[in-house]
Amino acid sequence: MVVKKTEKEKIKKITKEPKKKTGKEETKLKVGKSKPEMKIFNTLTRKVEEIKPIKKGEIGMYSCGPTVYGRAHVGNMRAYIFADTLRRVLEYYGYKVKHVMNITDVGHLTSDADSGEDKMQKSAREERLSAWDISKKYTDIFFQDEKELNILKPQIVCNATDHIKEQIELIKSLEKKGYTYRTSDGIYFDTAKFKKYGDLAKLNIEGLQAGKRIDVGEKKNKTDFALWKFSGENEKRDMEWESPWGKGFPGWHIECSAMSMKYLGKNFDIHTGGIDHIPIHHTNEIAQSESSTGNKFVNYWVHSEFLVLGEQEKMSKSLGNVINLDTIKEKGFTAMDYRYLCLGVQYRKRLIFGEEVLKSAANSMQRLKNKIIEIKEDNPKIIELNKSSPESKKYLEEFKESVFNDLNTPKALAVMWNMLGDNKVNNSEKYSLLLNFDRVLGLQMDKLRKEEIKVDDKLQELLKKREEFRKLKKWQEADKIRDEILAKGYTILDTNEGPKLENLGK
Ligand code: AMP
Ligand code: ZN
């Protein structure tokens, strides 16, 4: 803080004599008093901005959910861990968050730009199931994965197919205002009529339109997109509905406009998604919503970066290089190892995925577990953090500052490790701080404890044999068995109640 000269002089006047040094000054840590601002990078302005909610104390947040035509891969799950972390941070800050997420179960075509087959129908054909069964199958798996990753379920989860009426109404309102036109395969939005088209992505519209003669087909402009698609004459679709324009199904973008505005209002606070949604999906959501309502649609657009394999390679189903949660579990990693890995990279940075980085995250989780076991042996109490030591308060402030500053989770993790290594913070404070931090990190720290070891028959037999050798003072044989048990990942603790096994972890 810059103190003006006059104020400095005032201070001097009331300070009679400089206090004698006691040597304890260093321990008097400065603890921030005012609440830090909650800031986030807004794609709309390309700036880190303070979040100012529309309604005091409340946040409306919409996240583009999965297209349930196949199993989500770990790249997709990064986007949901990010949205979950944002929601947790907002709640940690004190906001009441209404989180809405859609399930895309119709209308997302194999190309985001309205060409190709409906992903759901394609998958149904390949798996010889109906599109409805495909939707149920992959929605269930998705929520199972979310649960394992400790992602909080949004208060409202809405399927596109349950909101056909709302989507038709929205298209009708656009039609009434003159934003639509008809081609032989559907009803399209005329992007030339929306002056701000492409602002979010800073699209070079002129450049884009210049190429329109190449593959624009019946569309008026290259960037125009389908609001409603007609079922083809010979097409056999599992999902189709009557509409004022003919039998068919909604385009992908209209579902997110219709459902977000239904549950959060015409203008709401935050909309999330992966960065790939910026140039098409979110650009089109803005065009439809704002043309229909005449209002600003969303105040903060927040996008997460990709998970890539190697320097550039994007993980995607179409490239055939996908890894899902089961794949990493088969390799001996846990869902929490993956969550830790995601937290270790700020959401706006690319996450370069591979076994090495996953191993390092798993090691950190093991270290965290060991630390918690050690702390728990001291029977820590849950204490009120505002009554704790200045050191402990300082870590709390640092943690808050990190997560409230554009979700700097890597820094928050570093604060946690510094706190755990600081012997000026006692174990009750450490444990209480960890549980507090975990409201944001979601690493299920309360569940990290010594594993109860289920001793299988083979281990039981080995343990018994070792005891027999020990009774006979056959130390060499007993040690050989101990080594065998060690190789299986356990160590033997000889206690008063007899030998016990302890898991050495991974
Ligand atoms: P989809 O199910 O294809 O609609 O995608 C679901 C979410 O995953 C969207 O928010 C995408 O932006 C995001 N996404 C897709 N691929 C990746 C990736 N490789 N890394 C991170 N996020 C991704
Ligand atoms: Zn969406």
Side-chain angles (χ1 to χ4, degrees):
M1 195 174 81
V2 183
V3 182
K4 283 186 204 159
K5 209 179 171 198
T6 49
E7 283 177 55
K8 255 188 189 172
E9 282 163 1
K10 270 189 222 160
I11 294 168
K12 255 189 189 170
K13 269 190 187 168
I14 44 172
T15 323
K16 291 171 201 152
E17 258 187 21
K19 274 190 182 164
K20 275 187 189 158
K21 295 224 173 208
T22 61
K24 288 185 185 160
E25 285 77 8
E26 292 145 51
T27 58
K28 281 190 186 170
L29 297 160
K30 217 178 154 209
V31 177
K33 285 195 183 67
S34 57
K35 198 173 183 179
E37 289 171 353
M38 161 101 211
K39 289 183 277 184
I40 201 81
F41 183 83
N42 188 355
T43 307
L44 208 52
T45 57
R46 303 288 196 275
K47 279 190 192 119
V48 176
E49 291 176 10
E50 185 191 352
I51 294 183
K52 293 188 179 143
I54 296 166
K55 214 167 158 194
K56 193 167 179 265
E58 289 179 25
I59 293 280
M61 171 164 136
Y62 183 90
S63 299
C64 282
T67 307
V68 283
Y69 69 109
R71 176 144 192 190
H73 55 69
V74 288
N76 301 134
M77 297 320 286
R78 182 188 190 201
Y80 303 114
I81 291 176
F82 146 70
D84 180 57
T85 311
L86 177 55
R87 171 191 165 171
R88 285 168 179 270
V89 171
L90 289 162
E91 288 178 344
Y92 186 70
Y93 191 79
Y95 288 122
K96 185 166 179 276
V97 181
K98 182 170 174 187
H99 189 197
V100 181
M101 183 179 74
N102 70 305
I103 300 286
T104 299
D105 53 358
V106 70
H108 193 169
L109 305 188
T110 41
S111 146
D112 280 357
D114 283 327
S115 57
E117 201 179 346
D118 185 328
K119 287 186 182 189
M120 298 295 296
Q121 286 297 148
K122 182 168 182 268
S123 198
R125 189 167 38 77
E126 284 165 3
E127 293 200 33
R128 293 169 182 273
L129 289 169
S130 78
W132 297 103
D133 291 337
I134 288 287
S135 164
K136 163 114 189 49
K137 176 179 171 185
Y138 291 110
T139 303
D140 288 350
I141 298 176
F142 176 76
F143 282 111
Q144 184 53 39
D145 284 350
E146 285 232 315
K147 200 168 160 205
E148 286 193 40
L149 287 163
N150 199 22
I151 293 173
L152 302 173
K153 201 164 184 173
Q155 289 90 341
I156 295 172
V157 174
C158 40
N159 282 53
T161 52
D162 289 334
H163 295 78
I164 300 298
K165 197 177 105 251
E166 288 83 350
Q167 296 174 71
I168 290 178
E169 286 308 314
L170 188 52
I171 302 168
K172 272 162 72 180
S173 89
L174 290 169
E175 188 177 43
K176 221 164 141 193
K177 292 185 174 178
Y179 285 101
T180 66
Y181 63 92
R182 189 182 185 108
T183 71
S184 60
D185 70 4
I187 303 295
Y188 281 78
F189 184 94
D190 186 347
T191 53
K193 295 207 166 140
F194 180 62
K195 293 287 160 281
K196 290 197 289 179
Y197 189 81
D199 276 6
L200 176 76
K202 305 213 182 302
L203 292 179
N204 172 2
I205 303 297
E206 274 163 31
L208 269 176
Q209 306 300 20
K212 76 176 179 183
R213 259 151 268 114
I214 307 165
D215 60 353
V216 74
E218 288 178 57
K219 291 202 293 186
K220 290 187 184 169
N221 308 288
K222 193 168 181 220
T223 46
D224 294 356
F225 55 91
L227 297 164
W228 188 263
K229 279 265 198 178
F230 304 135
S231 300
E233 247 170 53
N234 300 317
E235 193 186 2
K236 220 183 126 307
R237 288 188 58 88
D238 297 320
M239 294 171 163
E240 56 185 1
W241 295 265
E242 294 297 342
S243 82
W245 313 281
K247 198 183 269 184
F249 60 99
W252 171 35
H253 320 296
I254 197 80
E255 67 173 89
C256 286
S257 289
M259 293 192 281
S260 62
M261 291 198 288
K262 171 175 176 164
Y263 294 108
L264 297 170
K266 289 174 183 170
N267 170 228
F268 60 91
D269 300 294
I270 300 177
H271 194 313
T272 76
I275 45 154
D276 54 331
H277 287 341
I278 301 170
I280 300 175
H281 184 48
H282 290 168
T283 289
N284 293 349
E285 272 190 53
I286 293 174
Q288 302 162 148
S289 308
E290 299 194 357
S291 301
S292 147
T293 67
N295 278 337
K296 184 176 184 184
F297 176 41
V298 170
N299 291 358
Y300 304 89
W301 285 92
V302 192
H303 294 99
S304 54
E305 247 293 354
F306 270 141
L307 173 147
V308 292
L309 294 164
E311 268 307 315
Q312 290 296 336
E313 198 190 337
K314 182 189 158 192
M315 180 178 286
S316 83
K317 279 172 209 155
S318 52
L319 291 173
N321 58 5
V322 294
I323 291 171
N324 60 40
L325 203 55
D326 277 349
T327 330
I328 65 171
K329 276 160 59 187
E330 276 156 23
K331 294 199 172 189
F333 299 105
T334 66
M336 284 305 104
D337 294 340
Y338 179 63
R339 187 172 177 111
Y340 188 100
L341 173 62
C342 290
L343 294 171
V345 182
Q346 204 245 7
Y347 76 95
R348 281 202 289 133
K349 296 219 161 71
R350 261 200 215 142
L351 193 164
I352 303 174
F353 185 80
E355 210 161 318
E356 279 313 304
V357 287
L358 203 46
K359 255 189 212 155
S360 140
N363 284 340
S364 300
M365 278 305 287
Q366 187 62 44
R367 269 172 59 217
L368 183 59
K369 183 170 158 183
N370 293 344
K371 206 73 201 161
I372 290 176
I373 291 170
E374 189 189 308
I375 292 170
K376 277 193 172 169
E377 269 160 17
D378 201 19
N379 287 324
K381 292 189 188 63
I382 306 291
I383 56 155
E384 273 182 58
L385 290 171
N386 54 7
K387 291 183 187 153
S388 63
S389 67
E391 289 79 16
S392 143
K393 279 185 189 158
K394 184 198 76 159
Y395 289 114
L396 183 62
E397 292 301 322
E398 284 179 6
F399 182 85
K400 285 182 181 173
E401 268 162 26
S402 313
V403 294
F404 295 154
N405 185 10
D406 200 20
L407 255 56
N408 194 341
T409 48
K411 193 159 171 222
L413 288 174
V415 172
M416 178 188 82
W417 286 112
N418 288 343
M419 179 277 287
L420 286 172
D422 187 340
N423 49 25
K424 284 193 217 127
V425 182
N426 70 40
N427 280 339
S428 289
E429 290 175 327
K430 280 185 179 161
Y431 193 57
S432 307
L433 280 168
L434 279 181
L435 295 186
N436 178 288
F437 295 173
D438 208 34
R439 284 166 48 201
V440 168
L441 303 173
L443 292 169
Q444 299 182 316
M445 293 195 207
D446 55 336
K447 292 194 181 141
L448 292 178
R449 56 173 66 97
K450 248 189 209 166
E451 268 150 49
E452 278 177 27
I453 296 166
K454 289 192 200 94
V455 182
D456 65 26
D457 291 350
K458 183 98 185 34
L459 270 174
Q460 194 71 57
E461 212 178 291
L462 283 173
L463 209 58
K464 217 169 112 196
K465 248 198 207 159
R466 176 178 172 267
E467 273 309 281
E468 283 165 12
F469 282 132
R470 275 161 59 89
K471 274 184 195 142
L472 297 169
K473 298 197 173 8
K474 292 190 171 176
W475 307 118
Q476 243 179 337
E477 285 87 343
D479 285 353
K480 223 171 123 197
I481 294 184
R482 188 201 55 208
D483 291 345
E484 234 178 280
I485 293 176
L486 257 174
K488 287 181 186 291
Y490 299 93
T491 182
I492 305 166
L493 297 175
D494 289 309
T495 72
N496 292 341
E497 297 106 57
K500 283 198 173 148
L501 291 179
E502 191 172 78
N503 198 336
L504 293 171
K506 285 189 289 283

